Amino acid sequence: MGIKVAKFGGSSLADAGQFKKVYEILKSDPSRRFAVPSAPGKRFAEDIKITDMLYSCHKMASKGEDFQELFEQIVSRYTDIVRELGLDFDIRPALYEARDNIRRFDNPDYAASRGEYFSAMILSKYLGWDFIDAAEVIKFDRQGAFAAEWTNELLSQRLKCHRYAVIPGFYGSLPNGDIKTFSRGGSDVSGALVARAAGAVLYENWTDVSGFLMADPRIVKNPRRIERLTYRELRELSYMGATVLHEDAVFPVHKAGIPTNIRNTNRPDDPGTMIVTNHEGTQRPNIITGIAGHKNFTLLSIEKAMMNSELGFGRRVLQALEEFGVSFEHLPTGIDTMCVILSDSELQKHKDEIIARIEENCHPDSIEISGGLALIATVGQGMVSSRGTAAKLFMALAAADINVRMIDQGSSELNIIVGVDVKDFEDAVRAIYSAFV
Ligand code: ASP
C-alpha cells in the first residue's frame, strides 16, 4: 500500500472540534502514515492565529516588554484543546519552557515555530503516533537557504524508522541548531518535503476549502471547482493571484511526480482538487482550467522608427529596469514598438529615473505611459492549440463591450493573457467564465 502524507492547515486545527475531524480523517485510511500540522489558526473571523500571537510575544520580548498576559492566551488555547480532547498530559511545563526561550533566544523564527511544535505534540499524543521534531530533519544552510538534498536524505532515513508519525510544519533548523522557518504559510512546504522523502503516492493538503475554484468567487457567483489541474497550470494561476498553496510547496512534489490533493477538513467527502504532472489519459470537463487576474499594472510603450533593426535595443530597455531592481511582467512587442508591462508597485519605486534612463540608453521617438491596466490570464494546458479558443475569448469580451488593451499569448500553449481597463476587470472575468463554463 502506498504512503499518503496529510498536511493540515491552521483552520483545520483551530480548536478541539477540528482536531477531532483531523483524527477521523487520519484514522479512516491506514495509508495516511505521516501528518504535518500547522499551528492552530482562527476559530472565528476576529480571532488571532497562534503564529501571530507568538510573533507578537517575540516582538514584546525583544523590546524588553512583559508578554506574560499575551502568552497566557496561547497557554489557554492549547490547554483547552488538550482538556477537550480528554488527553491525560500536562502541556504547560513545555509551554513555559518555550516562553522562557522566547525571552532568551531573541529569534522570531523560534517563537513562531512553537505554534506548529505544540500542535504536533498534541496531535501525536491524540493519535498515538510518534513525534518527529522538524528541527532534526528539515535543514537550512549557514546562509539560511533551504538545504533540499540534505533534508531529503535526513528525512527519508528518519521516516523509515516510523510506521506512523507527526512532523510539525513550517520550520527546520540551521547547522548550529537555531530554529529557522519558511515564509508564512510554509507548512505546505514541509508537507511537500515529507511527501517527497517518504516516496508518497499522494500529498494531501487539508484546508478549509474544497479545492481550487475556476474563478474568484468574489467576482463569479458559485464558480465551479477545478477537479484536476497540472502543476504548470497551477503555477500560472497562482502567479496571477489564485492562492491556496504556498508557491514553494509545488517544487518537491512536482519533481518527484507526486500528485497533490487539496481537500476540505470540514467536508472530508468532497474530492477536492487534484494537482497532477500531466493530463494524460483523462477526460477534461472544460477547455479552460481557470481564470485569474490582477489589477494595477502600467504599460510602457516605447516607439522608435526602425527599432527592429537596431541591435541591442531590447536589452538596453531591460537594462534600465534591472539597474533599478525592477522586474517586469510581460513584454509584448510590435515592429517599431516595444511594450513593457510592470506592476504599479514595482514601477512607482523609480518611475522617473527609469524613464530618464530609457531615454538616455535608447533615444526612442516616444515613450507613452498608460496606467490603470488589469491583466487576466485564462489558463488551460493545450487550450491554445484547440481551434476557436481565442476567438471565443475575444468574442465574449467584445459582446460584453470590453476593450482589450493588450494581448499576450506566448508560446506555452497554457495561457492567454489580456489586458483591460481596471474598471472592466470584473466584467471581463465574468464574460470569459460564462463563455467557457
Ligand atoms: N503557522 C504558519 C503561518 O501562519 C505556517 C502555516 O500555517 O503554514 O504562516
Side-chain angles (χ1 to χ4, degrees):
M1 186 176 32
I3 297 171
K4 291 180 189 159
V5 170
K7 178 261 168 179
F8 293 90
S11 56
S12 302
L13 294 157
D15 58 22
Q18 293 300 88
F19 267 75
K20 288 179 186 164
K21 293 180 189 168
V22 168
Y23 179 97
E24 290 305 324
I25 290 166
L26 289 169
K27 292 284 180 172
S28 68
D29 180 349
S31 62
R32 292 184 177 127
R33 285 184 38 200
F34 301 115
V36 179
S38 285
K42 293 184 181 194
R43 295 159 294 182
F44 41 88
E46 316 75 53
D47 202 11
I48 306 174
K49 288 169 112 184
I50 293 268
T51 309
D52 291 321
M53 292 203 260
L54 287 163
Y55 276 122
S56 303
C57 286
H58 165 263
K59 214 166 167 186
M60 292 174 80
S62 67
K63 287 194 246 164
E65 292 169 10
D66 179 19
F67 62 93
Q68 183 62 26
E69 208 181 305
L70 181 57
F71 196 81
E72 281 307 324
Q73 291 178 35
I74 297 172
V75 171
S76 54
R77 288 222 27 205
Y78 282 116
T79 48
D80 283 355
I81 293 173
V82 171
R83 193 188 59 253
E84 286 169 37
L85 294 179
L87 296 174
D88 184 23
F89 89 104
D90 187 2
I91 194 173
R92 277 172 307 182
L95 280 163
Y96 289 121
E97 191 187 326
R99 175 201 59 195
D100 296 343
N101 287 340
I102 291 173
R103 236 179 240 138
R104 275 193 308 137
F105 291 168
D106 193 20
N107 174 3
D109 288 18
Y110 170 80
S113 74
R114 295 305 89 183
E116 273 65 15
Y117 179 87
F118 290 114
S119 227
M121 181 186 268
I122 296 172
L123 191 61
S124 72
K125 298 231 189 269
Y126 187 37
L127 292 160
W129 290 13
D130 299 338
F131 172 88
I132 302 174
D133 189 350
E136 294 166 16
V137 285
I138 293 189
K139 290 290 177 183
F140 294 81
D141 67 19
R142 258 187 293 165
Q143 282 72 40
F146 172 60
E149 295 317 310
W150 184 17
T151 296
N152 195 47
E153 232 175 273
L154 279 175
L155 196 49
S156 48
Q157 286 308 323
R158 186 66 186 271
L159 294 175
K160 283 192 194 120
C161 312
H162 301 268
R163 177 111 192 115
Y164 290 101
V166 181
I167 306 103
F170 193 34
Y171 74 94
S173 69
L174 295 165
N176 68 2
D178 284 357
I179 297 292
K180 165 103 184 117
T181 64
F182 293 108
S183 58
R184 294 300 304 264
S187 298
D188 283 346
V189 185
S190 312
L193 298 174
V194 173
R196 178 187 171 203
V201 293
L202 185 65
Y203 172 33
E204 292 181 331
N205 193 295
W206 292 85
T207 171
D208 53 4
V209 290
S210 295
F212 284 98
L213 298 173
M214 288 188 72
D216 186 337
R218 288 165 300 185
I219 301 175
V220 172
K221 211 164 144 206
N222 295 325
R224 266 207 220 163
R225 178 177 56 81
I226 302 177
E227 286 169 27
R228 215 178 156 84
L229 80 166
T230 64
Y231 283 107
R232 287 185 63 205
E233 289 172 325
L234 171 70
R235 164 88 183 117
E236 304 272 335
L237 287 171
S238 326
Y239 179 75
M240 290 300 287
T243 50
V244 172
L245 198 61
H246 192 295
E247 221 182 29
D248 297 338
V250 170
F251 190 66
V253 271
H254 186 188
K255 191 173 160 194
I258 302 166
T260 298
N261 191 191
I262 308 288
R263 298 285 293 266
N264 188 347
T265 301
N266 304 318
R267 298 174 61 109
D269 294 330
D270 287 357
T273 294
M274 192 65 101
I275 310 166
V276 294
T277 312
N278 58 54
H279 283 302
E280 260 161 42
T282 51
Q283 194 81 44
R284 313 192 56 200
N286 296 293
I287 306 175
I288 68 162
T289 300
I291 307 163
H294 263 319
K295 289 181 178 174
N296 304 328
F297 292 94
T298 295
L299 192 85
L300 287 190
S301 181
I302 306 153
E303 240 185 274
K304 187 173 187 184
M306 306 306 284
M307 172 194 293
N308 63 334
S309 56
E310 189 177 321
L311 213 61
F313 189 90
R315 179 184 51 75
R316 288 195 292 278
V317 170
L318 298 183
Q319 197 178 349
L321 299 176
E322 193 180 344
E323 249 178 69
F324 293 99
V326 167
S327 64
F328 68 91
E329 305 288 326
H330 299 282
L331 211 58
T333 53
I335 309 290
D336 283 338
T337 51
M338 178 171 170
C339 294
V340 187
I341 297 178
L342 302 142
S343 81
D344 289 349
S345 56
E346 282 282 304
L347 183 63
Q348 284 330 321
K349 291 187 248 168
H350 297 285
K351 186 172 161 193
D352 296 338
E353 292 113 301
I354 289 172
I355 304 295
R357 190 53 54 88
I358 295 176
E359 302 263 12
E360 194 182 310
N361 284 0
C362 311
H363 309 289
D365 297 336
S366 67
I367 303 182
E368 216 176 279
I369 307 168
S370 49
L373 188 73
L375 296 180
I376 300 166
T378 306
V379 175
Q381 203 144 0
M383 133 191 130
V384 178
S385 59
S386 97
R387 234 153 290 166
T389 312
K392 201 167 172 179
L393 192 146
F394 291 108
M395 298 257 283
L397 292 174
D401 204 19
I402 290 162
N403 180 35
V404 176
R405 287 174 52 189
M406 192 273 313
I407 305 166
D408 192 0
Q409 185 189 295
S411 55
S412 68
E413 304 223 333
L414 254 189
N415 205 340
I416 297 177
I417 295 172
V418 293
V420 298
D421 273 344
V422 165
K423 68 169 176 32
D424 292 331
F425 176 67
E426 283 83 4
D427 286 340
V429 172
R430 282 189 281 267
I432 299 171
Y433 182 85
S434 31
F436 285 96
V437 185

